[in-house]
């Protein structure tokens, strides 16, 4: 089996998982800047191909948003794939080192908090759903 073909399939499936969950995929720095200029709250899911992304972060991203409170905007960048877009998104995560997978929560384009890889790896998807929903409880309006 050709490794590059295999990885393309893995990446495409990972992208589709997050898009199907309702997240807007940002693949360019310009798209990131445009998304971060929006008023309101934004959850940025930093996607990746690692095991904790597939087994924990992506399922958590999909399930956490089915809640009474949730961010106004759901977006995603893909670390290691859309490098320039991911680097641009990380410029908005002031005070946090690069981490993937991860979730950044912003209000009016300013970082409020972040779930870093250390908050994801070693936890179940439901644990991460709970962590995200706690952030939503603290910072989002009821829908």
């Amino acid at each position: 089996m050709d490794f590059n073909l295999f990885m393309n399939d893995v990446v495409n499936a990972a992208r589709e998982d997050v898009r199907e969950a309702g997240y807007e995929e940002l693949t360019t720095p310009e798209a990131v800047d445009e998304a971060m200029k929006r008023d309101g709250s934004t959850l940025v899911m930093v996607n990746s191909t690692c095991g904790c992304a597939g087994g924990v972060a992506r399922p958590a991203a999909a399930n956490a948003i089915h809640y009474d409170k949730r961010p106004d905007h759901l977006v995603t960048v893909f670390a290691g794939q859309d490098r320039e877009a991911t680097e641009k998104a990380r410029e908005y995560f002031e005070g946090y080192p690069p981490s993937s997978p991860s979730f950044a929560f912003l209000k009016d384009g300013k970082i409020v908090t972040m779930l870093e890889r250390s908050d994801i790896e070693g936890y179940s998807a439901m644990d991460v759903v709970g962590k995200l929903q706690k952030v939503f409880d603290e910072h989002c309006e009821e829908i």
Side-chain angles (χ1 to χ4, degrees):
M1 171 178 264
D2 182 289
F3 179 76
N4 289 326
L5 288 175
F6 171 76
M7 283 309 297
N8 284 338
D9 287 346
V10 169
V11 168
N12 289 336
R15 287 182 190 277
E16 188 64 22
D17 283 350
V18 180
R19 281 193 310 260
E20 282 183 1
Y23 289 72
E24 175 188 0
E25 189 172 32
L26 308 175
T27 59
T28 66
E30 296 79 17
V32 170
D33 277 338
E34 183 128 341
M36 297 306 168
K37 289 179 185 174
R38 297 176 188 151
D39 289 338
S41 57
T42 302
L43 181 66
V44 182
M45 193 270 184
V46 179
N47 201 353
S48 73
T49 57
C50 71
C52 63
V56 180
R58 287 193 296 274
N63 288 292
I65 59 175
H66 300 286
Y67 195 58
D68 292 341
K69 294 181 177 184
R70 71 176 221 183
D72 300 313
H73 311 286
L74 304 169
V75 300
T76 184
V77 294
F78 207 122
Q81 301 301 313
D82 301 318
R83 289 190 175 136
E84 293 169 348
T86 303
E87 287 174 17
K88 178 55 81 173
R90 287 177 171 153
E91 289 177 13
Y92 289 89
F93 309 160
E94 189 175 322
Y96 292 93
S99 179
S100 60
S102 60
F103 294 92
F105 184 84
L106 298 93
K107 274 220 169 175
D108 300 324
K110 303 287 184 205
I111 189 76
V112 173
T113 192
M114 191 156 182
L115 292 183
E116 299 174 84
R117 181 184 180 111
S118 61
D119 299 308
I120 297 167
E121 188 174 34
Y123 293 92
S124 73
M126 290 311 296
D127 290 336
V128 176
V129 165
K131 292 176 184 188
L132 287 169
Q133 290 177 344
K134 182 178 181 202
V135 171
F136 301 166
D137 276 335
E138 293 174 11
H139 303 287
C140 296
E141 300 298 318
E142 197 162 322
I143 54 172

